[in-house]
Amino acid sequence: MSEFKLAAGSVVKLGVITTQLYPILRNGLSANTPAHQFQTNADGALSKKADTPGVQIGELMAYFSACAAFCNNTSEIHHQQQDAMARFVGALQDQRGTKPVMPELEDIAHQAGLPIVLEIVLEEDCVLLADSHFVSETEPEKSWKLWRSGYLQRADGIPAHWIKQFYFPRLLDYRDVTSARNPRSLEQTTDTALMVGGLMQYWHKDTPGDLLAAFKKQYGRINFSQRSNFDETSLERFFNLSAVIDPATRLLNQMTIWQDIDALAKKQGIELS
C-alpha cells in the first residue's frame, strides 16, 4: 500500500466540546488524542472516548464527533445530577421563558460542554490513515476523498497554532424559547441538523458530499452558523458570552440542543438512548 498524505495547507476539522477548548489552546492535540464515539460499556453506560491510531479528522464526521462528545457529556451530567436536573427541567416547563433561580446549577454548568468544531490548517504534509468504519485499512485515499474521514499521524500531534478558528451553534437565552418559531431557535435547530448529518453518515453510510450539498443548497453554508478565531483573546470573549458564562443559560442551551439532536435523529431512524 502506498502512503497517503494530506498536503500542507489542507483544511481539516475536528469535533470537540467547549470544556476542551482551553486545554487544547495550551497543549495542542496529542498524537494519540482519543476520538469521541457513541459506545457503551459492559454496564450499558456511554463511554466518552475510543482509542485511535492518530488524531481523527473529518468534514461532516467532525460534526459527528462534536455530537458524540456533547451527547456523552450531557448523558453523564444528567445521570450524576438527576435530582437537580429534574428540578431544572421542571422549572423550564412550569415557567417557560423565565430563568430558574437555582444556585446549585453553577457547579453543574461548569461541567457542561457545548458542541464545537475546530478548523485546522496543516502546516506540513501529514500521513493519513483510513477510517476503517468506512473503508479497509489499505484505502486511506478513498477514506478521505469519498468519506472525508481519517486519522492524522504526526509524532508531535497537532500544535495549537495550526487551529485557526472554531465553529459553534447559535446560542439562546430565555427570551428565545418563548416561541417555537423564534428565528434564533430555528437557527440553532439548523445547526443541530449538521450534527445529525454526521450521524447519518456514520449510521446509514450516507456520503458526506451529498449530505453537505443538500444542506448548502437549503441554508447556504456547511458549518455551524457562528464562528470565532482560536486564540486567548477570542476564547476569553467566547466564554464571557451570556449564554456560556451564565450557568442556567448554558444548561438551557444544553437542553435545547440535546432535544433537537434526539428529535432529528429519531426522524432518521437513529436511536441515541
Side-chain angles (χ1 to χ4, degrees):
M1 179 190 68
S2 59
E3 186 176 74
F4 178 68
K5 290 185 177 182
L6 289 182
S10 297
V11 177
V12 301
K13 296 186 175 77
L14 174 74
V16 297
I17 52 175
T18 50
T19 53
Q20 297 176 266
L21 286 177
Y22 270 121
I24 292 172
L25 179 69
R26 297 186 186 104
N27 305 311
L29 295 158
S30 65
N32 59 347
T33 297
H36 295 286
Q37 298 283 352
F38 289 92
Q39 294 189 346
T40 55
N41 299 319
D43 60 2
L46 285 170
S47 62
K48 294 192 335 187
K49 297 181 181 180
D51 292 335
T52 63
V55 179
Q56 187 178 32
I57 55 149
E59 179 68 56
L60 196 51
M61 279 299 289
Y63 287 86
F64 168 86
S65 297
C67 184
F70 170 77
C71 290
N72 289 335
N73 175 261
T74 300
S75 177
E76 184 176 0
I77 288 173
H78 283 245
H79 177 72
Q80 293 176 352
Q81 305 288 342
Q82 292 182 43
D83 292 342
M85 292 308 298
R87 291 195 301 273
F88 177 65
V89 172
L92 294 180
Q93 294 171 340
D94 293 341
Q95 297 180 315
R96 191 172 181 84
T98 301
K99 183 169 69 173
V101 179
M102 298 175 59
E104 64 269 35
L105 295 181
E106 184 167 355
D107 287 340
I108 300 173
H110 183 70
Q111 308 167 47
L114 301 174
I116 294 290
V117 168
L118 305 174
E119 185 173 273
I120 304 162
V121 179
L122 304 185
E123 295 194 6
E124 62 185 51
D125 296 353
C126 293
V127 173
L128 185 83
L129 301 183
D131 184 342
S132 59
H133 180 75
F134 298 109
V135 299
S136 74
E137 294 180 355
T138 61
E139 300 178 291
E141 186 171 3
K142 181 179 179 181
S143 182
W144 184 250
K145 291 186 175 180
L146 179 60
W147 295 103
R148 275 296 193 266
S149 185
Y151 298 90
L152 280 183
Q153 276 204 321
R154 186 174 184 271
D156 296 327
I158 295 178
H161 69 267
W162 287 19
I163 305 170
K164 304 305 180 184
Q165 61 182 352
F166 63 94
Y167 295 91
F168 59 98
R170 169 64 69 186
L171 301 177
L172 310 179
D173 64 26
Y174 281 84
R175 294 169 296 179
D176 298 323
V177 295
T178 56
S179 168
R181 304 299 297 176
N182 181 282
R184 291 168 61 89
S185 293
L186 292 173
E187 188 171 29
Q188 186 182 88
T189 299
T190 300
D191 287 328
T192 302
L194 274 169
M195 291 188 283
V196 176
L199 300 183
M200 292 166 66
Q201 176 177 341
Y202 188 87
W203 259 276
H204 300 325
K205 303 291 181 70
D206 294 336
T207 55
D210 293 338
L211 291 167
L212 287 170
F215 191 88
K216 186 172 184 179
K217 182 178 180 180
Q218 186 167 359
Y219 300 110
R221 56 184 172 88
I222 57 170
N223 289 299
F224 283 148
S225 60
Q226 312 301 303
R227 66 180 179 179
S228 169
N229 291 335
F230 189 75
D231 55 51
E232 189 79 39
T233 301
S234 298
L235 280 194
E236 183 177 355
R237 188 180 303 119
F238 171 78
F239 280 102
N240 277 287
L241 293 174
S242 59
V244 180
I245 197 171
D246 179 72
T249 311
R250 184 190 289 206
L251 290 171
L252 169 72
N253 280 278
Q254 184 191 59
M255 291 294 301
T256 55
I257 293 170
W258 164 253
Q259 289 170 350
D260 279 344
I261 290 173
D262 190 49
L264 293 173
K266 283 178 178 174
K267 288 183 179 179
Q268 301 299 327
I270 300 170
E271 292 287 342
L272 301 178
S273 59

